[in-house]
Amino acid sequence: MLFFERRGRVAVISESAARRSGYWLIAVVLAMLAGLPLAVWLDISDLSGNTLRRQARDMSSLISSIRSYYSANVVGRVLAAHASGATAGTVVSHNYANIPGAIPLPATLSLELGDVIKEQQANITYRFVSDLPFKSRASHELDDFEKRALTALRANPQQTLNDLTRVGLTDTLRFITPVVMGQACVACHNSHPESPKTDWKVGDVRGIQEVIIRQPYASNVFAFKYLLCYFLFVAIIGLSFILLQRQQARAIHNANRDLEAANEFLAGVSLKISRYLSPQIYKSIFSGQKDVVVHTERKRLTIFFSDIKDFTATTERLQPEALTEMLNEYLTEMSNIALAHGGTVDKFIGDAMLVFFGDPETKGPEEDAKACLRMAVDMQRRLGELKDRWRRNGTEEPFVVRMGINSGYCNVGNFGSSDRMDYTIIGAEANLAARLQSIAQGGEIVISYETYALVNEIVAAHPLPPITMKGIQREIVPYAVDGLTLGADHKSRVLSEHLSGLDLHLDMSRVEPADRLRVRTALKEAIAALDDALPESARSRQDAGQV
């Protein structure tokens, strides 16, 4: 069961790790997909602003160059001719349209050029404005930005000013340069009757020249059509990858869910199977140490066999339900003790129990035999505790158990067919353990000489009359266990006697020093009660030393 539980935990951990990795991957992909349009948007915004500035600067420079050329090579030549005395000819005037053959002033040319550009270019506006127009002209409307620009340029004519605003998806750039008075302009304005000022100097700022360009974002976005196509392609690939990852995560989740269900089922089956196998065998099979094939080995084992004395008579005295409950409790307690000492519980044969030491795990023949003997003593002690409780629950004559132990070589392994097999032991030594149990008195442990030779350091025992057994040529000398020794010169006597009306189990190793006087008193009272119950003739013989 542990094996399947471990696999289930691994599956859950793998699913959790895969889910976390999938979430991280999806987050990275989404961040990359979101970062690309943001980067493109920032680039487009920067490109739009730089493009507008460059266009406005180029256009402003172009118009300034045209105005300068016109002022120097057209208006300047005409005015120079007039200054030399040639009064007849071309006239330079701001109202040139009303004078035949006249040409406009450079400022008038700039004003009218702005009207032409506005009509021809829907997204470009050119303004040539001043806060000091000629008297015959209407005053120019200047907004706050233009007023601030005019003030700043008069303080420093070397600079240019621009303002980029964004409304919706349209960028608007306003680019302003100063209109600086040249020599010809100063001469013209200072002598013109409609000039608002007659003390102009070369280098003064007459007004401002402003270029306004509006550009929708769409025009810049479509300039990146190949990049947008590439981004769309990457987005499709990324989304497809995310969908594939989600499908894989869902498939892994479903597979892990099925695996968990299968693990739970197998764990349940494994737990049920473990009830039919010894824990050592169960562990060795599910850990892969043993193969489930018909195979046996010859090993030196210590075999334990126990049986309930007069079990048939006991079944007649007890109700089936009470008998079943007592028997199951007895076998459960004895199995727990066997497992605690490292024994392999082979089988239950009705009320009998077969346990052996030395396979599949062994500590050596001597230690295996000692562990088996200690197990038998603990079983008798625990049985005494159970009988006390059973009596309090109303059972007059509880179980009395006989035990036999033998050590020797047996065949151990899987016996049977490829379809149905049983892990057990076969051999005359196992039969001898059963025979030793059969000659034991109620509550007694009988061991063979082979076992006694292995455990004589820890046991006090006395020999019984030799016996013979079919299948074994030698004469068998059994030993009845009196108790276990606690040290080199101290024995832990275990006195066990079970007769009708008598149930005695005295384990000196478990009697506390403070309780020994109480035990002694109880035994004296028992002896006195027995003496009182003896017939007069028997008491006389006892007094005479004959009983």
Side-chain angles (χ1 to χ4, degrees):
M1 184 178 64
L2 294 177
F3 172 75
F4 295 111
E5 289 178 351
R6 190 177 300 114
R7 288 190 59 184
R9 288 196 296 270
V10 171
V12 172
I13 292 172
S14 299
E15 179 185 0
S16 178
R19 188 182 297 112
R20 287 196 300 270
S21 299
Y23 289 155
W24 274 108
L25 186 59
I26 291 173
V28 170
V29 172
L30 290 178
M32 294 176 63
L33 293 177
L36 184 57
L38 178 61
V40 172
W41 178 268
L42 294 176
D43 283 340
I44 291 175
S45 177
D46 187 62
L47 177 63
S48 176
N50 292 335
T51 301
L52 290 176
R53 290 184 183 90
R54 185 172 61 254
Q55 290 178 349
R57 186 181 298 108
D58 292 344
M59 184 174 181
S60 178
S61 177
L62 175 63
I63 295 176
S64 297
S65 299
I66 292 173
R67 190 178 67 251
S68 298
Y69 178 84
Y70 178 78
S71 176
N73 295 285
V74 179
V75 175
R77 290 171 62 85
V78 171
L79 293 178
H82 290 179
S84 63
T87 58
T90 303
V91 177
V92 179
S93 175
H94 66 282
N95 59 343
Y96 71 97
N98 299 323
I99 302 173
I103 61 174
L105 292 169
T108 303
L109 175 66
S110 297
L111 291 172
E112 295 185 356
L113 185 59
D115 294 336
V116 174
I117 292 174
K118 185 175 181 179
E119 292 177 1
Q120 299 296 326
Q121 301 291 332
N123 64 322
I124 298 177
T125 300
Y126 174 77
R127 281 169 58 81
F128 189 88
V129 293
S130 175
D131 55 349
L132 297 172
F134 277 18
K135 295 177 182 180
S136 60
R137 291 186 177 276
S139 60
H140 298 161
E141 295 292 336
L142 278 73
D143 58 22
D144 293 338
F145 175 66
E146 291 170 335
K147 292 177 181 178
R148 291 194 304 271
L150 188 57
T151 302
L153 291 174
R154 281 175 175 162
N156 180 15
Q158 305 301 320
Q159 62 180 325
T160 58
L161 302 175
N162 64 83
D163 178 52
L164 179 64
T165 58
R166 182 168 297 150
V167 178
L169 295 178
T170 301
D171 283 345
T172 301
L173 179 71
R174 303 177 66 181
F175 187 83
I176 294 178
T177 56
V179 177
V180 181
M181 300 290 285
Q183 183 64 44
C185 295
V186 170
C188 177
H189 281 71
N190 286 340
S191 61
H192 200 286
E194 295 184 10
S195 175
K197 184 178 177 181
T198 58
D199 59 347
W200 293 100
K201 300 180 182 63
V202 175
D204 286 348
V205 175
R206 171 74 172 83
I208 58 173
Q209 177 177 273
E210 181 179 11
V211 177
I212 304 173
I213 301 179
R214 298 173 184 84
Q215 187 176 63
Y217 254 58
S219 60
N220 290 320
V221 170
F222 287 114
F224 292 88
K225 54 183 177 294
Y226 298 111
L227 181 61
L228 291 175
C229 291
Y230 175 75
F231 167 69
L232 181 61
F233 174 75
V234 171
I236 293 174
I237 294 297
L239 292 175
S240 301
F241 183 75
I242 291 175
L243 292 176
L244 179 61
Q245 183 70 20
R246 295 293 296 172
Q247 291 177 353
Q248 290 179 345
R250 193 178 301 111
I252 292 174
H253 173 73
N254 294 335
N256 282 329
R257 185 179 58 192
D258 296 340
L259 181 59
E260 288 178 15
N263 281 337
E264 291 177 0
F265 172 76
L266 292 176
V269 173
S270 171
L271 180 61
K272 294 176 182 178
I273 292 175
S274 68
R275 298 293 187 264
Y276 293 90
L277 296 175
S278 174
Q280 298 93 330
I281 304 304
Y282 172 82
K283 178 181 177 182
S284 62
I285 290 175
F286 281 90
S287 64
Q289 297 177 0
K290 278 187 174 293
D291 293 329
V292 186
V293 295
V294 177
H295 175 72
T296 62
E297 298 178 86
R298 189 163 178 80
K299 288 187 175 182
R300 190 177 183 183
L301 307 176
T302 295
I303 305 102
F304 167 89
F305 201 92
S306 68
D307 183 35
I308 298 176
K309 182 182 178 182
D310 300 328
F311 183 72
T312 302
T314 303
T315 60
E316 295 176 354
R317 293 194 303 268
L318 296 176
Q319 293 296 324
E321 295 80 5
L323 177 64
T324 300
E325 182 180 354
M326 286 178 58
L327 183 59
N328 287 335
E329 184 178 11
Y330 159 73
L331 294 176
T332 298
E333 294 290 338
M334 299 304 105
S335 297
N336 291 338
I337 294 173
L339 297 177
H341 286 272
T344 300
V345 180
D346 187 322
K347 60 174 66 71
F348 302 110
I349 309 170
D351 60 303
M353 183 175 181
L354 176 60
V355 182
F356 59 85
F357 289 75
D359 191 80
E361 299 173 353
T362 180
K363 296 180 180 179
E366 185 175 338
E367 291 300 322
D368 290 341
K370 291 179 180 179
C372 184
L373 180 60
R374 292 190 182 100
M375 175 196 73
V377 173
D378 283 350
M379 284 181 172
Q380 289 288 8
R381 176 189 56 78
R382 180 57 180 157
L383 185 60
E385 297 173 354
L386 291 175
K387 286 193 289 187
D388 181 64
R389 180 156 57 84
W390 288 336
R391 285 195 184 92
R392 290 198 303 270
N393 292 337
T395 303
E396 182 180 0
E397 296 183 8
F399 298 150
V400 176
V401 179
R402 302 175 298 189
M403 300 179 180
I405 301 175
N406 180 41
S407 299
Y409 283 92
C410 293
N411 291 326
V412 58
N414 294 324
F415 292 85
S417 67
S418 57
D419 298 326
R420 175 70 171 87
M421 61 187 66
D422 188 19
Y423 179 84
T424 186
I425 58 175
I426 292 179
E429 303 298 337
N431 298 333
L432 178 56
R435 176 65 186 281
L436 293 173
Q437 170 272 134
S438 66
I439 67 172
Q441 299 298 318
E444 191 175 47
I445 303 171
V446 176
I447 63 177
S448 66
Y449 174 78
E450 287 77 9
T451 302
Y452 177 74
L454 295 172
V455 301
N456 60 70
E457 296 178 355
I458 66 168
V459 69
H462 63 274
L464 299 177
I467 62 172
T468 59
M469 179 179 169
K470 184 179 179 180
I472 298 180
Q473 301 298 325
R474 69 184 186 279
E475 193 176 56
I476 307 300
V477 179
Y479 283 77
V481 174
D482 297 324
L484 299 179
T485 60
L486 297 178
D489 56 355
H490 184 72
K491 296 180 179 178
S492 171
R493 295 296 302 276
V494 179
L495 303 177
S496 185
E497 193 69 40
H498 305 276
L499 301 172
S500 179
L502 173 64
D503 191 3
L504 174 64
H505 183 84
L506 177 60
D507 186 352
M508 292 303 299
S509 65
R510 299 181 61 83
V511 177
E512 298 292 337
D515 297 332
R516 289 178 182 177
L517 182 59
R518 180 180 175 184
V519 173
R520 183 181 179 88
T521 301
L523 291 175
K524 284 183 176 182
E525 292 176 355
I527 293 173
L530 288 173
D531 291 341
D532 292 340
L534 287 175
E536 185 64 30
S537 59
R539 284 201 299 269
S540 299
R541 289 196 301 272
Q542 181 182 9
D543 294 339
Q546 298 177 7
V547 178

